[in-house]
Amino acid sequence: MSPNTGVREAQRRRTRRALLDAALGQLEERSLGTLGLREVARHAGVTPTAFYRHFRGMDELGTALVEEALASLHATVRGVLASSGDAGRRSGGAVQLVAELVRSRPAHVRFLVRERHGGVAAVREAIAGQLDAFAAEIGAVLVADPLSAGWGTADVTMLSRLLVDHMFMTASACLTASLRGEDWSPVLATARDQLRLIHLGREHWQGQRVSL
């Protein structure tokens, strides 16, 4: 790579980052569907033409934000679920993971919570796709757990989706507490108790127990 190529690539990355950050800043109080690319470009300090060098439109920028917020968590989530220890310890690890996501990326979490059922179809689908991927990965861990012996596919899928929904709900509750300036401790304690309750229900589940 020539020096000039390296400079151009660095500038390209800075511009892309500026556009993503500008969009996140504007999305603190708004939905993606109300935000135009010219407005994002202006706040990023670039021209609309420069915007199109990075994204074909606001839909694509939104899906990039979804990827940025969630894609890196897949391996971490699998690690927490597969970790040794009792259910309480694993539950604590899962809740702590969600709390750390809210602490480190509050703007991304706010965006995800608002847009999960928002008006931009491509972004809704991107969020759903990421959550489906989490559910599939969690399901693969659950199938290997002795507690799931004899469970049917529908039961494993139901539990994995319940755990994904719980993660999302906990993130939303942490974000709400943060915006209100409230202590997170009650939110996290409730989330851990909910996971323990789910685990107890799992131990005694008598659903569709057919071979996978």
Side-chain angles (χ1 to χ4, degrees):
M1 179 185 294
S2 70
N4 287 340
T5 301
V7 170
R8 286 195 298 271
E9 178 60 22
Q11 180 59 48
R12 188 194 70 80
R13 289 196 297 267
R14 285 194 296 270
T15 301
R16 179 183 171 86
R17 181 74 262 158
L19 288 165
L20 291 169
D21 289 343
L24 278 174
Q26 294 302 302
L27 290 169
E28 287 193 12
E29 303 294 339
R30 301 168 57 181
S31 64
L32 185 66
T34 68
L35 187 61
L37 70 87
R38 290 181 178 276
E39 187 176 1
V40 172
R42 183 173 70 253
H43 282 280
V46 301
T47 65
T49 300
F51 179 100
Y52 283 116
R53 295 193 189 106
H54 298 271
F55 305 105
R56 287 174 290 183
M58 291 300 297
D59 289 12
E60 189 170 285
L61 183 148
T63 58
L65 288 174
V66 173
E67 180 79 9
E68 185 173 78
L70 294 176
S72 64
L73 292 179
H74 289 280
T76 307
V77 170
R78 288 196 302 271
V80 168
L81 289 169
S83 63
S84 59
D86 60 20
R89 183 173 299 176
R90 290 197 300 272
S91 296
V95 170
Q96 189 57 42
L97 172 65
V98 172
E100 182 55 35
L101 174 63
V102 180
R103 289 192 184 97
S104 62
R105 297 182 176 180
H108 286 87
V109 173
R110 189 179 302 113
F111 166 74
L112 292 169
V113 169
R114 181 178 290 126
E115 299 299 331
R116 184 183 186 185
H117 303 294
V120 180
V123 175
R124 287 200 313 272
E125 292 167 4
I127 294 171
Q130 287 286 342
L131 297 184
D132 285 347
F134 277 124
E137 292 163 359
I138 290 171
V141 174
L142 293 175
V143 165
D145 192 313
L147 278 176
S148 301
W151 277 42
T153 301
D155 293 328
V156 173
T157 299
M158 177 175 63
L159 178 57
S160 63
R161 290 188 178 280
L162 176 60
L163 292 173
V164 168
D165 285 341
H166 182 270
M167 289 172 58
F168 210 95
M169 179 183 68
T170 301
S172 179
C174 288
L175 179 62
T176 298
S178 180
L179 292 174
R180 293 174 177 173
E182 297 173 353
D183 180 18
W184 290 16
S185 298
V187 171
L188 301 181
T190 297
R192 287 190 290 269
D193 287 344
Q194 289 168 336
L195 284 177
R196 283 195 288 271
L197 182 58
I198 291 171
H199 178 72
L200 287 171
R202 180 186 176 199
E203 288 181 324
H204 300 284
W205 178 245
Q206 298 295 323
Q208 301 176 20
R209 291 178 177 270
V210 296
S211 299
L212 292 172

